[in-house]
Amino acid sequence: MASLFSGRILIRNNSDQDEVETEAELSRRLENRLVLLFFSAGSCPQCQAFAPVLKDFFVRLTDEFYVLRAAQLALIYVSQDPTEEQQHLFLKDMPEKWLFLPFHDDLRRDLGRRFSVRRLPAVVVLKPSGDVLTSDATDEIQRLGPACFANWQEAAELLDRSFLQPEDLDEPARRSITEPLRRRKYRVDRDMGRDWGRGRSGHDSGYPQGDAGARAELW
């Protein structure tokens, strides 16, 4: 997973905006976790409406006020904001544990093309291996809230056993009766995100306003 951002700078969304500078620190924050890539923009009304939902979702899974042990979950904000100021304003009320790319890093746009993000907001869920678990979990998060993390975790266990803790490998936990359905629902498209050259070229134009219930077109 960390290899996706190898050689890049990620910034913590705390008051000091500390940089994740070393490969070891990057690995510690991303390895053996489900990673959410949150594509959004402060200029997008739909994104502004969804952001509090995602914030609550993330906090309830990672803040020890709500859980005994933080979930193996990381979130990286992939800004599609037209200005750095709008990016800053969008992030100021978001959790400190979120990470984000510097505004001037072209990887912000490249990731959108790599993962075929067509509309905002979008939440791409990645397995610990870097494969796509679901191409856009926005609707699922809104419908199920934190409960959908258990679905992702179970699907990741099926598709990538490196996600399990070492002690679980010798004596696997019993599977639920819903497991075959989840396996079908989260079947990985192994070709997605592996060919950087196949994505459509993007544009930096503004985002259409549209109806409140519609998703903003990205490319």
Side-chain angles (χ1 to χ4, degrees):
M1 173 61 68
S3 62
L4 185 63
F5 298 95
S6 180
R8 304 284 184 166
I9 294 175
L10 286 175
I11 303 173
R12 295 176 57 194
N13 192 42
N14 56 14
S15 57
D16 295 327
Q17 295 200 340
D18 298 320
E19 294 182 358
V20 179
E21 295 179 327
T22 66
E23 295 292 328
E25 185 180 2
L26 179 65
S27 178
R28 181 174 63 84
R29 292 184 177 277
L30 299 183
E31 291 300 333
N32 200 38
R33 297 175 187 268
L34 292 173
V35 175
L36 309 184
L37 301 181
F38 178 33
F39 295 83
S40 183
S43 58
C44 163
Q46 296 87 353
C47 299
Q48 292 178 349
F50 176 69
V53 177
L54 183 61
K55 175 183 177 180
D56 182 72
F57 169 86
F58 183 84
V59 168
R60 288 182 178 276
L61 286 168
T62 60
D63 191 322
E64 293 180 358
F65 178 82
Y66 295 101
V67 292
L68 292 176
R69 181 181 179 184
Q72 292 172 285
L73 184 69
L75 186 146
I76 299 173
Y77 177 60
V78 186
S79 168
Q80 305 299 304
D81 294 288
T83 69
E84 188 171 9
E85 180 181 9
Q86 287 181 325
Q87 173 178 295
H88 174 72
L89 290 173
F90 188 80
L91 284 169
K92 71 175 184 177
D93 294 324
M94 295 299 109
E96 292 188 356
K97 290 183 179 180
W98 284 16
L99 302 172
F100 64 94
L101 288 160
F103 180 77
H104 298 291
D105 192 333
D106 290 339
L107 185 60
R108 295 187 305 117
R109 301 291 180 179
D110 293 340
L111 287 174
R113 291 189 286 269
R114 175 172 185 173
F115 293 107
S116 302
V117 175
R118 309 296 298 176
R119 296 180 179 181
L120 299 179
V123 179
V124 178
V125 183
L126 301 179
K127 294 170 47 189
S129 64
D131 288 329
V132 175
L133 187 61
T134 182
S135 59
D136 188 1
T138 304
D139 292 339
E140 187 177 7
I141 290 170
Q142 290 176 314
R143 285 188 294 105
L144 301 178
C148 62
F149 177 78
N151 296 344
W152 300 340
Q153 187 177 22
E154 186 171 4
E157 288 174 344
L158 281 167
L159 298 171
D160 185 358
R161 293 188 62 82
S162 67
F163 184 77
L164 296 175
Q165 294 298 320
E167 60 268 21
D168 292 331
L169 294 175
D170 295 330
E171 189 174 351
R174 296 183 63 184
R175 304 301 187 189
S176 74
I177 60 175
T178 62
E179 187 172 297
L181 295 177
R182 286 175 177 148
R183 183 174 189 136
R184 291 184 63 189
K185 178 176 176 59
Y186 296 106
R187 184 173 61 249
V188 170
D189 180 358
R190 297 187 178 277
D191 295 329
M192 181 175 289
R194 292 185 176 179
D195 187 350
W196 286 75
R198 293 181 183 176
R200 296 181 176 88
S201 59
H203 303 282
D204 294 333
S205 57
Y207 305 99
Q209 302 303 308
D211 295 333
R215 301 278 289 283
E217 295 285 349
L218 179 56
W219 307 112

